[in-house]
Amino acid sequence: MPTTLRAYVPADAVPTWRVYYAAVRRTAIRDYTEEQVRAWAPDESEVDAQAWADRRAAAHTYVVCVDDVVVGFSDFTDDGLLDMLFVHPDHSGRGIARLLVEKVQDEAGKRGLTRLITHASRTARPAFESFGFVVDRENPTNQTRSGVIIPNYDMHYDLP
């Protein structure tokens, strides 16, 4: 199965949403309640598809494809926020998240950034730590979606 890493294009909007949805609903459920994952990743009918597409396009977003199907994506903003890192659960454990984070780290460095920050979920924290990110603090009550608290961690990575 050929694997490719490339920059996001507008046609990736729906596929990246589906990766996000599957990752939250099927992977994060082991660390969050059903209420939390439903608030975090509502059903597609409840999502503003254009807002999702605009958000992906506004960041430096990269996708990994297997056989030309998007199976993971990540991004960063001009101020150094690595906002999204999601891999479809059918493709987890294959190094896709590492490939994406290394690409983000490389591209952020090329743009003159010296630090990346992220707000990692309980589920993603171990992966981010394995990529060299450091926990700055736990946020047990600060992130709310649809009135539901979704705890996370502020983390950073100092670029070389």
Side-chain angles (χ1 to χ4, degrees):
M1 290 189 271
T3 300
T4 56
L5 170 64
R6 62 171 174 75
Y8 170 92
V9 296
D12 295 327
V14 170
T16 54
W17 165 256
R18 290 185 177 145
V19 166
Y20 170 85
Y21 181 87
V24 173
R25 290 289 184 101
R26 290 177 43 199
T27 305
I29 191 67
R30 68 178 183 241
D31 299 304
Y32 293 92
T33 67
E34 178 131 353
E35 179 186 33
Q36 288 169 320
V37 298
R38 287 186 180 282
W40 186 3
D43 291 332
E44 196 166 346
S45 63
E46 301 172 46
V47 174
D48 181 337
Q50 188 59 54
W52 175 267
D54 292 347
R55 189 170 170 198
R56 299 284 57 76
H60 306 283
T61 304
Y62 302 94
V63 300
V64 169
C65 299
V66 174
D67 290 333
D68 297 322
V69 175
V70 174
V71 299
F73 71 100
S74 189
D75 67 8
F76 72 98
T77 61
D78 287 333
D79 60 356
L81 174 65
L82 191 162
D83 187 35
M84 296 274 182
L85 173 63
F86 291 93
V87 175
H88 194 284
D90 292 346
H91 295 272
S92 65
R94 299 181 187 174
I96 292 169
R98 180 171 298 279
L99 185 65
L100 286 161
V101 170
E102 288 174 353
K103 177 66 171 175
V104 165
Q105 289 168 330
D106 182 56
E107 292 297 326
K110 287 178 182 176
R111 286 176 168 76
L113 294 173
T114 58
R115 177 176 273 201
L116 288 169
I117 60 168
T118 194
H119 308 295
S121 68
R122 292 173 178 160
T123 309
R125 177 185 170 180
F128 276 107
E129 287 176 323
S130 76
F131 306 144
F133 281 73
V134 176
V135 173
D136 296 313
R137 70 179 182 156
E138 182 178 4
N139 299 309
T141 61
N142 79 326
Q143 185 179 10
T144 304
R145 299 231 176 137
S146 302
V148 178
I149 294 170
I150 305 169
N152 65 11
Y153 298 88
D154 289 345
M155 301 181 77
H156 78 272
Y157 176 85
D158 290 323
L159 293 161

